Amino acid sequence: MNISKNDKPALLLIDIQQGFEDINYWGGERNNPNAESNTEKLLRFWRANNLPVFHIKHCSTNPNSPLTRGKPGNNFYDFNTPLEEEPVIEKEVNSAFIGTDLQEQLESKDINTLVIVGLTTDHCVSTTTRMAGNFGFKTYLVEDAVATFNKVGANGTVYSAQLIHDTAIASLKDEFATILSTKAVLKSLTENL
């Protein structure tokens, strides 16, 4: 696996929004507390090397959600506030490709390589990653720059955030995306600039 600047890899930052700070709303436990700091490292690298960055923002239609438009939780974190030249794709469902022009924007810029980070591993990250792979994009998912929350199964069993994260990653591995760490992505790009 080698990602190079010649690939024009786009960094997709999915739903890195303040509303995910409400851990009780989302499940009571979250894995990977370093996801945002790893994402920040990647974002700094992309910006320093003039690589394309796309911000995906979830605008929930559920009025109780912290991610609803107009609520403070809909805002991005300070570290990933979009720069003027960085597109913001607003979505209302769990894929950045549905109901948006993301695919058209990527194709118009001849981008065929995507590096995906964000929240949450098993929902919007997974769905966007699956669709990216199905659309033919060369897709990389950064496993330590994504995170999720506990989930309750149909029988009432509580599944840990780490288990949900790990099984989501395992389901995406090789079929929809190449799974990498932040360190591996930065190493490959640094060696192939």
Side-chain angles (χ1 to χ4, degrees):
M1 177 290 312
N2 284 319
I3 310 173
S4 79
K5 189 173 181 180
N6 293 336
D7 294 329
K8 285 174 55 176
L11 182 65
L12 263 59
L13 299 113
I14 298 178
D15 303 350
I16 305 174
Q17 296 166 252
Q18 294 175 26
F20 283 113
E21 291 179 341
D22 186 350
I23 292 175
N24 288 330
Y25 179 87
W26 300 107
E29 177 190 288
R30 191 191 120 160
N31 78 314
N32 195 8
N34 296 319
E36 286 85 356
S37 63
N38 287 329
T39 296
E40 186 173 5
K41 289 176 193 171
L42 292 165
L43 180 57
R44 280 198 311 259
F45 183 91
W46 250 256
R47 287 174 170 169
N49 289 279
N50 296 312
L51 294 170
V53 173
F54 289 77
H55 299 265
I56 313 301
K57 179 186 252 192
H58 193 80
C59 298
S60 179
T61 58
N62 175 354
N64 297 318
S65 171
L67 302 177
T68 303
R69 274 189 185 93
K71 289 189 177 180
N74 185 257
N75 296 327
F76 292 115
Y77 286 103
D78 289 343
F79 82 85
N80 68 308
T81 299
L83 301 181
E84 186 177 339
E85 66 274 13
E86 297 172 349
V88 175
I89 308 293
E90 293 190 352
K91 64 180 179 59
E92 295 180 349
V93 295
N94 55 17
S95 172
F97 290 101
I98 294 177
T100 74
D101 66 348
L102 175 60
Q103 184 178 5
E104 291 79 8
Q105 286 198 47
L106 294 168
E107 289 174 350
S108 73
K109 295 176 181 174
D110 294 321
I111 294 168
N112 62 16
T113 302
L114 305 180
V115 176
I116 297 177
V117 300
L119 303 167
T120 62
T121 313
D122 55 319
H123 284 178
C124 298
V125 168
S126 178
T127 308
T128 299
T129 300
R130 288 170 185 269
M131 290 192 72
N134 285 333
F135 283 140
F137 290 99
K138 190 181 206 179
T139 307
Y140 297 91
L141 178 60
V142 187
E143 54 87 18
D144 59 354
V146 295
T148 194
F149 300 88
N150 283 357
K151 296 293 183 295
V152 178
N155 62 359
T157 301
V158 176
Y159 297 100
S160 74
Q162 190 62 50
L163 177 63
I164 297 294
H165 173 86
D166 290 343
T167 55
I169 295 289
S171 296
L172 296 169
K173 181 182 175 288
D174 298 331
E175 185 172 356
F176 297 100
T178 300
I179 309 301
L180 297 172
S181 66
T182 299
K183 183 178 179 180
V185 171
L186 292 174
K187 183 175 187 282
S188 180
L189 281 167
T190 301
E191 290 173 351
N192 293 289
L193 280 176

PDB file of all heavy atoms in Angstrom, residues 79-97:
ATOM      1  N   PHE A  79     -10.788  22.710  15.820  1.00  0.00           N
ATOM      2  CA  PHE A  79      -9.618  22.277  15.061  1.00  0.00           C
ATOM      3  C   PHE A  79      -9.947  21.932  13.617  1.00  0.00           C
ATOM      4  O   PHE A  79      -9.071  21.958  12.764  1.00  0.00           O
ATOM      5  CB  PHE A  79      -8.908  21.100  15.749  1.00  0.00           C
ATOM      6  CG  PHE A  79      -9.524  19.744  15.477  1.00  0.00           C
ATOM      7  CD1 PHE A  79      -9.189  19.024  14.335  1.00  0.00           C
ATOM      8  CD2 PHE A  79     -10.423  19.186  16.375  1.00  0.00           C
ATOM      9  CE1 PHE A  79      -9.744  17.777  14.086  1.00  0.00           C
ATOM     10  CE2 PHE A  79     -10.977  17.942  16.139  1.00  0.00           C
ATOM     11  CZ  PHE A  79     -10.637  17.239  14.996  1.00  0.00           C
ATOM     12  N   ASN A  80     -11.196  21.590  13.329  1.00  0.00           N
ATOM     13  CA  ASN A  80     -11.537  21.248  11.951  1.00  0.00           C
ATOM     14  C   ASN A  80     -12.534  22.224  11.338  1.00  0.00           C
ATOM     15  O   ASN A  80     -13.288  21.875  10.439  1.00  0.00           O
ATOM     16  CB  ASN A  80     -12.030  19.797  11.829  1.00  0.00           C
ATOM     17  CG  ASN A  80     -13.366  19.544  12.500  1.00  0.00           C
ATOM     18  OD1 ASN A  80     -13.542  19.875  13.659  1.00  0.00           O
ATOM     19  ND2 ASN A  80     -14.298  18.950  11.782  1.00  0.00           N
ATOM     20  N   THR A  81     -12.487  23.471  11.803  1.00  0.00           N
ATOM     21  CA  THR A  81     -13.288  24.507  11.149  1.00  0.00           C
ATOM     22  C   THR A  81     -12.822  24.618   9.702  1.00  0.00           C
ATOM     23  O   THR A  81     -11.623  24.790   9.444  1.00  0.00           O
ATOM     24  CB  THR A  81     -13.111  25.866  11.860  1.00  0.00           C
ATOM     25  OG1 THR A  81     -13.552  25.734  13.212  1.00  0.00           O
ATOM     26  CG2 THR A  81     -13.894  26.962  11.154  1.00  0.00           C
ATOM     27  N   PRO A  82     -13.741  24.484   8.745  1.00  0.00           N
ATOM     28  CA  PRO A  82     -13.327  24.492   7.331  1.00  0.00           C
ATOM     29  C   PRO A  82     -12.684  25.815   6.914  1.00  0.00           C
ATOM     30  O   PRO A  82     -13.128  26.890   7.313  1.00  0.00           O
ATOM     31  CB  PRO A  82     -14.643  24.279   6.577  1.00  0.00           C
ATOM     32  CG  PRO A  82     -15.555  23.624   7.571  1.00  0.00           C
ATOM     33  CD  PRO A  82     -15.175  24.201   8.901  1.00  0.00           C
ATOM     34  N   LEU A  83     -11.639  25.697   6.118  1.00  0.00           N
ATOM     35  CA  LEU A  83     -11.070  26.869   5.468  1.00  0.00           C
ATOM     36  C   LEU A  83     -11.954  27.229   4.284  1.00  0.00           C
ATOM     37  O   LEU A  83     -12.738  26.406   3.802  1.00  0.00           O
ATOM     38  CB  LEU A  83      -9.643  26.580   5.008  1.00  0.00           C
ATOM     39  CG  LEU A  83      -8.643  26.162   6.088  1.00  0.00           C
ATOM     40  CD1 LEU A  83      -7.267  25.931   5.475  1.00  0.00           C
ATOM     41  CD2 LEU A  83      -8.566  27.199   7.203  1.00  0.00           C
ATOM     42  N   GLU A  84     -11.799  28.447   3.797  1.00  0.00           N
ATOM     43  CA  GLU A  84     -12.677  28.939   2.729  1.00  0.00           C
ATOM     44  C   GLU A  84     -12.699  28.038   1.502  1.00  0.00           C
ATOM     45  O   GLU A  84     -13.738  27.828   0.882  1.00  0.00           O
ATOM     46  CB  GLU A  84     -12.245  30.354   2.334  1.00  0.00           C
ATOM     47  CG  GLU A  84     -13.174  31.019   1.336  1.00  0.00           C
ATOM     48  CD  GLU A  84     -12.753  32.444   1.013  1.00  0.00           C
ATOM     49  OE1 GLU A  84     -12.020  33.051   1.803  1.00  0.00           O
ATOM     50  OE2 GLU A  84     -13.173  32.931  -0.047  1.00  0.00           O
ATOM     51  N   GLU A  85     -11.545  27.459   1.153  1.00  0.00           N
ATOM     52  CA  GLU A  85     -11.461  26.647  -0.063  1.00  0.00           C
ATOM     53  C   GLU A  85     -11.850  25.182   0.157  1.00  0.00           C
ATOM     54  O   GLU A  85     -11.849  24.390  -0.784  1.00  0.00           O
ATOM     55  CB  GLU A  85     -10.048  26.717  -0.654  1.00  0.00           C
ATOM     56  CG  GLU A  85      -8.967  26.082   0.205  1.00  0.00           C
ATOM     57  CD  GLU A  85      -8.380  27.004   1.272  1.00  0.00           C
ATOM     58  OE1 GLU A  85      -8.949  28.082   1.542  1.00  0.00           O
ATOM     59  OE2 GLU A  85      -7.350  26.625   1.845  1.00  0.00           O
ATOM     60  N   GLU A  86     -12.211  24.817   1.397  1.00  0.00           N
ATOM     61  CA  GLU A  86     -12.559  23.432   1.710  1.00  0.00           C
ATOM     62  C   GLU A  86     -14.070  23.243   1.683  1.00  0.00           C
ATOM     63  O   GLU A  86     -14.782  23.842   2.498  1.00  0.00           O
ATOM     64  CB  GLU A  86     -11.993  23.039   3.081  1.00  0.00           C
ATOM     65  CG  GLU A  86     -10.474  23.075   3.129  1.00  0.00           C
ATOM     66  CD  GLU A  86      -9.896  22.891   4.519  1.00  0.00           C
ATOM     67  OE1 GLU A  86     -10.653  22.932   5.514  1.00  0.00           O
ATOM     68  OE2 GLU A  86      -8.666  22.725   4.604  1.00  0.00           O
ATOM     69  N   PRO A  87     -14.579  22.425   0.759  1.00  0.00           N
ATOM     70  CA  PRO A  87     -16.031  22.243   0.655  1.00  0.00           C
ATOM     71  C   PRO A  87     -16.643  21.625   1.912  1.00  0.00           C
ATOM     72  O   PRO A  87     -16.029  20.772   2.559  1.00  0.00           O
ATOM     73  CB  PRO A  87     -16.192  21.286  -0.530  1.00  0.00           C
ATOM     74  CG  PRO A  87     -14.901  21.312  -1.256  1.00  0.00           C
ATOM     75  CD  PRO A  87     -13.851  21.669  -0.254  1.00  0.00           C
ATOM     76  N   VAL A  88     -17.856  22.058   2.222  1.00  0.00           N
ATOM     77  CA  VAL A  88     -18.663  21.466   3.286  1.00  0.00           C
ATOM     78  C   VAL A  88     -19.856  20.791   2.625  1.00  0.00           C
ATOM     79  O   VAL A  88     -20.617  21.429   1.891  1.00  0.00           O
ATOM     80  CB  VAL A  88     -19.144  22.522   4.300  1.00  0.00           C
ATOM     81  CG1 VAL A  88     -20.072  21.892   5.330  1.00  0.00           C
ATOM     82  CG2 VAL A  88     -17.956  23.197   4.983  1.00  0.00           C
ATOM     83  N   ILE A  89     -19.987  19.496   2.873  1.00  0.00           N
ATOM     84  CA  ILE A  89     -21.092  18.713   2.323  1.00  0.00           C
ATOM     85  C   ILE A  89     -22.062  18.435   3.461  1.00  0.00           C
ATOM     86  O   ILE A  89     -21.722  17.746   4.423  1.00  0.00           O
ATOM     87  CB  ILE A  89     -20.578  17.368   1.740  1.00  0.00           C
ATOM     88  CG1 ILE A  89     -19.424  17.574   0.761  1.00  0.00           C
ATOM     89  CG2 ILE A  89     -21.714  16.552   1.153  1.00  0.00           C
ATOM     90  CD1 ILE A  89     -19.780  18.269  -0.511  1.00  0.00           C
ATOM     91  N   GLU A  90     -23.272  18.985   3.377  1.00  0.00           N
ATOM     92  CA  GLU A  90     -24.273  18.745   4.414  1.00  0.00           C
ATOM     93  C   GLU A  90     -25.158  17.578   4.005  1.00  0.00           C
ATOM     94  O   GLU A  90     -25.611  17.504   2.860  1.00  0.00           O
ATOM     95  CB  GLU A  90     -25.107  20.000   4.655  1.00  0.00           C
ATOM     96  CG  GLU A  90     -24.297  21.130   5.253  1.00  0.00           C
ATOM     97  CD  GLU A  90     -25.142  22.299   5.719  1.00  0.00           C
ATOM     98  OE1 GLU A  90     -26.372  22.309   5.445  1.00  0.00           O
ATOM     99  OE2 GLU A  90     -24.587  23.207   6.371  1.00  0.00           O
ATOM    100  N   LYS A  91     -25.389  16.665   4.950  1.00  0.00           N
ATOM    101  CA  LYS A  91     -26.211  15.493   4.669  1.00  0.00           C
ATOM    102  C   LYS A  91     -27.224  15.301   5.787  1.00  0.00           C
ATOM    103  O   LYS A  91     -27.052  15.791   6.901  1.00  0.00           O
ATOM    104  CB  LYS A  91     -25.336  14.245   4.537  1.00  0.00           C
ATOM    105  CG  LYS A  91     -24.594  13.865   5.805  1.00  0.00           C
ATOM    106  CD  LYS A  91     -23.745  12.632   5.601  1.00  0.00           C
ATOM    107  CE  LYS A  91     -22.979  12.255   6.853  1.00  0.00           C
ATOM    108  NZ  LYS A  91     -23.783  11.988   8.035  1.00  0.00           N
ATOM    109  N   GLU A  92     -28.293  14.569   5.462  1.00  0.00           N
ATOM    110  CA  GLU A  92     -29.327  14.278   6.457  1.00  0.00           C
ATOM    111  C   GLU A  92     -29.452  12.786   6.725  1.00  0.00           C
ATOM    112  O   GLU A  92     -30.265  12.370   7.545  1.00  0.00           O
ATOM    113  CB  GLU A  92     -30.669  14.836   5.989  1.00  0.00           C
ATOM    114  CG  GLU A  92     -30.688  16.347   5.905  1.00  0.00           C
ATOM    115  CD  GLU A  92     -32.017  16.906   5.440  1.00  0.00           C
ATOM    116  OE1 GLU A  92     -32.880  16.119   4.968  1.00  0.00           O
ATOM    117  OE2 GLU A  92     -32.207  18.129   5.561  1.00  0.00           O
ATOM    118  N   VAL A  93     -28.668  11.968   6.007  1.00  0.00           N
ATOM    119  CA  VAL A  93     -28.703  10.519   6.183  1.00  0.00           C
ATOM    120  C   VAL A  93     -27.292  10.035   6.493  1.00  0.00           C
ATOM    121  O   VAL A  93     -26.371  10.840   6.624  1.00  0.00           O
ATOM    122  CB  VAL A  93     -29.277   9.813   4.938  1.00  0.00           C
ATOM    123  CG1 VAL A  93     -30.740  10.201   4.725  1.00  0.00           C
ATOM    124  CG2 VAL A  93     -28.456  10.128   3.695  1.00  0.00           C
ATOM    125  N   ASN A  94     -27.123   8.699   6.572  1.00  0.00           N
ATOM    126  CA  ASN A  94     -25.840   8.181   7.042  1.00  0.00           C
ATOM    127  C   ASN A  94     -24.816   7.922   5.942  1.00  0.00           C
ATOM    128  O   ASN A  94     -23.849   7.214   6.167  1.00  0.00           O
ATOM    129  CB  ASN A  94     -26.047   6.924   7.888  1.00  0.00           C
ATOM    130  CG  ASN A  94     -26.845   5.873   7.152  1.00  0.00           C
ATOM    131  OD1 ASN A  94     -26.981   5.915   5.944  1.00  0.00           O
ATOM    132  ND2 ASN A  94     -27.380   4.924   7.887  1.00  0.00           N
ATOM    133  N   SER A  95     -24.993   8.493   4.773  1.00  0.00           N
ATOM    134  CA  SER A  95     -23.972   8.441   3.730  1.00  0.00           C
ATOM    135  C   SER A  95     -23.720   9.838   3.201  1.00  0.00           C
ATOM    136  O   SER A  95     -24.662  10.582   2.908  1.00  0.00           O
ATOM    137  CB  SER A  95     -24.396   7.547   2.568  1.00  0.00           C
ATOM    138  OG  SER A  95     -23.476   7.677   1.503  1.00  0.00           O
ATOM    139  N   ALA A  96     -22.449  10.163   3.045  1.00  0.00           N
ATOM    140  CA  ALA A  96     -22.082  11.470   2.496  1.00  0.00           C
ATOM    141  C   ALA A  96     -22.393  11.571   1.008  1.00  0.00           C
ATOM    142  O   ALA A  96     -22.330  12.656   0.436  1.00  0.00           O
ATOM    143  CB  ALA A  96     -20.606  11.739   2.737  1.00  0.00           C
ATOM    144  N   PHE A  97     -22.752  10.447   0.386  1.00  0.00           N
ATOM    145  CA  PHE A  97     -23.039  10.441  -1.046  1.00  0.00           C
ATOM    146  C   PHE A  97     -24.527  10.583  -1.368  1.00  0.00           C
ATOM    147  O   PHE A  97     -24.882  10.866  -2.505  1.00  0.00           O
ATOM    148  CB  PHE A  97     -22.516   9.143  -1.684  1.00  0.00           C
ATOM    149  CG  PHE A  97     -21.024   9.055  -1.750  1.00  0.00           C
ATOM    150  CD1 PHE A  97     -20.314   8.306  -0.825  1.00  0.00           C
ATOM    151  CD2 PHE A  97     -20.313   9.727  -2.731  1.00  0.00           C
ATOM    152  CE1 PHE A  97     -18.930   8.212  -0.888  1.00  0.00           C
ATOM    153  CE2 PHE A  97     -18.927   9.655  -2.810  1.00  0.00           C
ATOM    154  CZ  PHE A  97     -18.241   8.888  -1.878  1.00  0.00           C
TER     155      PHE A  97
END
